[in-house]
Amino acid sequence: MIVPINLENQTIIKYNVMIEKLPKLTFNRKVAIVTNTTVSALHLEELISRIECDELYVVTIEDGEEFKTLETVENILNELFEHKLDRKSLLIALGGGVIGDMTGFTASLYQRGIGFVQVPTTLLSQVDASVGGKTGVNNKYGKNLIGAFYQPEAVYIDTDFLKTLPKREFAAGIAEIIKMAVMFDKEYFDFLMEADFTKKEVLEKVIERSVELKAEVVNLDEKESGIRAVLNYGHTFGHVVENETNYKTYLHGEAVAIGIMMANALSVELGIMSENEMQQVKEFLQKHNLPVDYEIEDIDTFYDKFFLDKKAANNKIKFILANGLGKHVVRDDIDVSVLKKVLKSFSKKGE
Ligand SMILES: NC(=O)c1ccc[n+]([C@@H]2O[C@H](COP(=O)([O-])OP(=O)(O)OC[C@H]3O[C@@H](n4cnc5c(N)ncnc54)[C@H](O)[C@@H]3O)[C@@H](O)[C@H]2O)c1
Ligand SMILES: [Zn+2]
């Protein structure tokens, strides 16, 4: 017997990303803020002062990527049950991408899903992690391997939160910003070259454009079958750099900056980017104190690590490359010798 089930997915998901001073937030429901020890000391009071709701709870977890685990999610869930949150309740993520990803995932699980709102407090989470609905945790097999696509009800981006952000963390966010410009928008790229990130209105403009671009990509491809992969520009190389350095030497955005340099070197080798264009990107990264060099110890070991990436389907490595500035191309046909030649230019022997 066959019982065909046809669920026509007609859900239209709409929400706004507000880029402004955090407004008064009124909810006729129970609310739990999820944050970490660092962010709560700096910004929790401010957030609480803006919220009006039935009952308000705060769940504070330890700070660090190493706490982005199922165990932490379970602890958060337990606290929500202790506070008797119901199906109408709301979670608010106050923090960077770690808090955002984990809060979203917890919201997707609690009683099969409750609402959540993002209040991202790092540049990276404001331009990248808080938009797109990817939520999840890490496990011993890798990063973000457990999770769900689950969209927030709203995202509130207030650049004032960034005033307390360490400089290195700020720069790490800039790597994801330049990524979007190189992949999709030459005009935005030119704007970024001149942008003074210390000016609030410039920063807001930059965040707005990055969010817009990410939203366009996600809208075209919510489940990452096609164009969403383009967001991995710089990441194929960057992930190997992160892996080789045991996730200790570089922040993710810093490894992405190195990865962008490597991807661009490949583009230049393939003749789809000029030396001059590569140089422009390099100078931008340097200006923002992002690393642009990396010394590969052993090219073969580095090369083998490409295959650890979950995106390397059927033994083919998919390279997301800049095709000039503001345009991208996805290539899975790169000759090993060409690739190794590029990697060699990042090793001692290449000098
Ligand atoms: N869901 C997505 O689409 C997506 C996209 C990119 C990255 N991510 C995830 O995001 C995470 C990285 O995010 P992140 O870079 O924001 O890291 P993070 O959340 O670890 O924050 C970085 C550090 O800054 C601190 N911090 C946060 N806000 C602060 C503030 N205003 N002032 C001072 N300190 C502050 C945090 O406590 C932390 O120590 C990774 O887990 C990554 O997998 C998710
Ligand atoms: Zn990234």
Side-chain angles (χ1 to χ4, degrees):
M1 277 184 285
I2 297 174
V3 183
I5 307 210
N6 295 304
L7 303 173
E8 284 192 20
N9 189 357
Q10 293 174 336
T11 345
I12 294 174
I13 301 168
K14 284 190 179 199
Y15 59 92
N16 291 326
V17 178
M18 262 76 71
I19 305 168
E20 60 188 19
K21 177 90 206 129
L22 191 65
K24 267 245 165 300
L25 304 169
T26 309
F27 306 106
N28 298 316
R29 54 217 274 212
K30 292 187 190 181
V31 173
I33 298 169
V34 181
T35 186
N36 71 25
T37 46
T38 309
V39 181
S40 85
L42 297 164
H43 303 296
L44 180 61
E45 208 178 305
E46 158 85 359
L47 175 60
I48 290 178
S49 77
R50 308 260 148 196
I51 296 176
E52 235 170 70
C53 65
D54 290 356
E55 288 170 37
L56 181 65
Y57 302 98
V58 179
V59 180
T60 310
I61 62 178
E62 299 283 316
D63 183 5
E65 182 82 36
E66 67 271 32
F67 297 102
K68 192 177 164 184
T69 60
L70 273 181
E71 194 188 343
T72 309
V73 168
E74 181 154 33
N75 291 340
I76 303 171
L77 287 169
N78 286 339
E79 285 206 45
L80 304 182
F81 285 111
E82 293 289 330
H83 297 315
K84 302 197 169 50
L85 262 71
D86 55 38
R87 301 209 50 197
K88 288 206 206 80
S89 301
L90 179 81
L91 299 189
I92 300 181
L94 175 71
V98 169
I99 288 292
D101 281 12
M102 218 163 16
T103 306
F105 187 44
T106 306
S108 81
L109 295 170
Y110 190 77
Q111 300 194 8
R112 296 204 183 82
I114 58 173
F116 88 109
V117 161
Q118 293 268 24
V119 182
T121 60
T122 63
L123 183 58
L124 185 137
S125 59
Q126 295 192 343
V127 297
D128 190 351
S130 69
V131 185
K134 276 203 203 175
T135 73
V137 294
N138 309 326
N139 67 2
K140 66 176 178 185
Y141 300 100
K143 288 184 71 177
N144 302 319
L145 293 178
I146 300 172
F149 284 93
Y150 199 65
Q151 304 288 343
E153 290 182 9
V155 183
Y156 294 96
I157 296 177
D158 182 343
T159 55
D160 281 350
F161 288 127
L162 305 179
K163 286 181 183 158
T164 57
L165 192 66
K167 282 200 168 65
R168 260 185 90 188
E169 295 286 352
F170 189 85
I174 293 182
E176 304 284 358
I177 290 171
I178 193 70
K179 170 189 88 175
M180 298 305 280
V182 174
M183 288 291 94
F184 300 109
D185 189 345
K186 171 74 164 72
E187 210 175 295
Y188 181 39
F189 180 88
D190 292 337
F191 175 78
L192 288 176
M193 291 302 108
E194 308 297 325
D196 176 357
F197 285 70
T198 62
K199 293 210 170 89
K200 190 178 171 71
E201 61 286 3
V202 174
L203 189 54
E204 285 186 339
K205 194 104 217 92
V206 166
I207 294 171
E208 182 189 12
R209 187 64 191 133
S210 278
V211 168
E212 255 172 22
L213 286 168
K214 179 150 186 198
E216 272 172 41
V217 170
V218 171
N219 187 19
L220 287 171
D221 184 7
E222 210 214 341
K223 297 279 150 78
E224 196 167 341
S225 44
I227 192 171
R228 196 162 178 161
V230 176
L231 300 175
N232 271 318
Y233 166 56
H235 285 61
T236 309
F237 292 96
H239 286 154
V240 178
V241 171
E242 280 183 298
N243 180 289
E244 281 209 334
T245 51
N246 296 316
Y247 300 87
K248 291 207 171 76
T249 316
Y250 301 107
L251 294 175
H252 170 72
E254 293 172 336
V256 168
I258 294 168
I260 285 175
M261 288 302 299
M262 291 177 171
N264 289 355
L266 181 54
S267 281
V268 170
E269 185 63 33
L270 296 170
I272 55 175
M273 183 181 230
S274 71
E275 290 271 359
N276 179 280
E277 288 169 327
M278 178 167 75
Q279 191 58 24
Q280 280 185 65
V281 177
K282 183 177 182 178
E283 280 166 18
F284 176 84
L285 296 172
Q286 282 174 320
K287 181 167 127 191
H288 293 285
N289 299 312
L290 284 159
V292 292
D293 289 317
Y294 178 77
E295 201 174 284
I296 299 176
E297 279 287 323
D298 184 78
I299 291 162
D300 293 323
T301 314
F302 192 96
Y303 175 80
D304 287 342
K305 289 201 164 154
F306 283 129
F307 298 97
L308 294 176
D309 204 305
K310 58 181 186 255
K311 271 127 200 152
N314 358 306
N315 268 354
K316 282 194 172 159
I317 319 159
K318 213 192 249 177
F319 288 99
I320 318 293
L321 299 174
N323 188 3
L325 292 168
K327 278 186 290 174
H328 57 266
V329 60
V330 181
R331 296 276 301 263
D332 66 359
D333 60 342
I334 307 293
D335 204 78
V336 183
S337 62
V338 173
L339 186 58
K340 289 197 174 172
K341 182 175 170 202
V342 170
L343 294 179
K344 203 163 178 206
S345 67
F346 284 85
S347 75
K348 248 194 193 133
K349 293 168 219 149
E351 281 169 359

